[in-house]
Amino acid sequence: MTGLGKLGGRTWVVTAAALIVLIVVNAVLQHNFLEPSVVQSNLTTFLPLVLVAIGQTYVILGGDIDLSVGAIVALVNVVTVTVIAAFGGDGTAVVLGLMIGMGVGAGCGLLNGLIIAGLRFQPIVTTFATSIVFSGLALWVLPQAGLPVPEPYWRTYAGTILGVPTVYVIYLLAFLLAAFLAARPFMTRLKAVGGLRAAAFQTGLDLGRLRVSAFVLSGLYGAFASLCLTGETASGDPLMGQSLAMSAISAVVLGGTALAGGVGGTLGSVLGALVVGMIGSVIFFAGLPFEYQTLVQGLIILAALAGGVLVTRR
């Protein structure tokens, strides 16, 4: 199964149904929910999680997991804003900062992949350790939050490109890249690595290269998400993105990708990310006390995961 929409099992059906229910509930709680400006605002809020979830999908499909992506988001953010400030904050500085930021994300993913695939370290332990390293580097680069980005950066992010909201353009680019990869042999081979690693090795697949590529993609999508958050917050923050890793893993599993690897797809992860985001919106507009919001959000996600498991077992 190589298509963007060919997902593992039937879990994505539950996720799609849950998303529809959440849209209806949000529309009831927030009467202007379906207005174009509100839709754009919500999609802007959900975008970083969607991007990280897409990147995490490749890692999990390969039978691994990446707990460091939240720290990668923070490191890319502080490096980008620091480079832009150091080079004067003009257009050239912004482009240079964006390029270096994407390079940092890819480099972090490459490091994860080489340690895990090359040295055969456990993914969960390795990426937990590298998350600490990346977080420490972020604090070293920018000890205090608040370094601003130039106005053209955040105005472009909040504005339009050829009349189309920039956020929608980013969604389109992310989906096109995911669709391109889904149509390539890479996706089939990556699923083979995650689902039947011994058999994949016997067929001559380069398991190490495929696993490293998955981590690089996760780092790139994490960097992409970081640049979006930078445009949204208009500043640097070394503590940015702390909850993104676990939220993205929840979104991936909600979308039908098996944590054991080998089964799933990116479209399901996008649906899962939107569900996670919409749950937060419902809880907020329902007026629940702040101290209960995280607890209720966790319980709802757990119930959705359980529903997906039950459907898959039928």
Side-chain angles (χ1 to χ4, degrees):
M1 295 187 295
T2 58
L4 180 64
K6 295 179 181 178
L7 308 172
R10 292 172 292 174
T11 308
W12 71 273
V13 177
V14 176
T15 308
L19 181 59
I20 293 172
V21 171
L22 287 167
I23 289 174
V24 173
V25 174
N26 265 292
V28 172
L29 294 174
Q30 188 182 3
H31 298 301
N32 62 344
F33 176 73
L34 297 177
E35 292 182 3
S37 60
V38 178
V39 171
Q40 181 179 338
S41 175
N42 284 323
L43 289 177
T44 301
T45 301
F46 303 156
L47 179 56
L49 177 58
V50 168
L51 294 173
V52 172
I54 292 174
Q56 186 75 248
T57 304
Y58 299 113
V59 174
I60 293 178
L61 280 175
D64 297 311
I65 198 166
D66 187 358
L67 299 182
S68 69
V69 68
I72 292 174
V73 167
L75 182 57
V76 170
N77 166 261
V78 299
V79 168
T80 299
V81 298
T82 301
V83 168
I84 291 174
F87 284 87
D90 58 9
T92 303
V94 170
V95 172
L96 183 62
L98 294 176
M99 294 175 61
I100 292 177
M102 292 297 291
V104 168
C108 291
L110 179 62
L111 178 63
N112 282 334
L114 290 176
I115 293 174
I116 292 166
L119 301 180
R120 299 185 180 181
F121 285 14
Q122 287 292 329
I124 192 168
V125 176
T126 301
T127 55
F128 175 72
T130 55
S131 71
I132 298 173
V133 173
F134 299 152
S135 295
L137 287 173
L139 284 167
W140 176 72
V141 173
L142 188 67
Q144 278 191 323
L147 183 63
V149 296
E151 184 176 331
Y153 185 116
W154 59 264
R155 280 198 177 277
T156 300
Y157 182 73
T160 61
I161 297 176
L162 299 176
V164 180
T166 303
V167 170
Y168 294 166
V169 174
I170 294 173
Y171 269 105
L172 179 61
L173 292 175
F175 293 165
L176 287 175
L177 177 57
F180 172 77
L181 291 172
R184 307 296 296 173
F186 167 77
M187 199 67 160
T188 304
R189 294 168 182 170
L190 186 63
K191 290 181 178 181
V193 171
L196 297 167
R197 187 162 293 176
F201 176 76
Q202 291 172 359
T203 61
L205 288 180
D206 190 340
L207 307 189
R209 181 179 61 83
L210 288 166
R211 295 172 71 190
V212 170
S213 298
F215 276 102
V216 171
L217 283 170
S218 178
L220 282 171
Y221 270 99
F224 207 0
S226 178
L227 298 180
C228 293
L229 279 171
T230 304
E232 189 174 351
T233 62
S235 65
D237 183 358
L239 301 180
M240 177 181 287
Q242 289 184 329
S243 65
L244 271 176
M246 298 311 298
S247 294
I249 292 169
S250 298
V252 171
V253 177
L254 277 171
T257 297
L259 273 177
V263 175
T266 50
L267 179 57
S269 299
V270 171
L271 293 174
L274 294 176
V275 165
V276 172
M278 295 288 276
I279 288 171
S281 179
V282 166
I283 291 172
F284 177 80
F285 285 103
L288 287 177
F290 176 77
E291 59 268 24
Y292 295 118
Q293 290 183 12
T294 302
L295 173 62
V296 173
Q297 184 174 7
L299 290 174
I300 294 174
I301 292 174
L302 185 61
L305 290 171
V309 170
L310 290 175
V311 169
T312 302
R313 287 178 177 176
R314 288 182 179 179

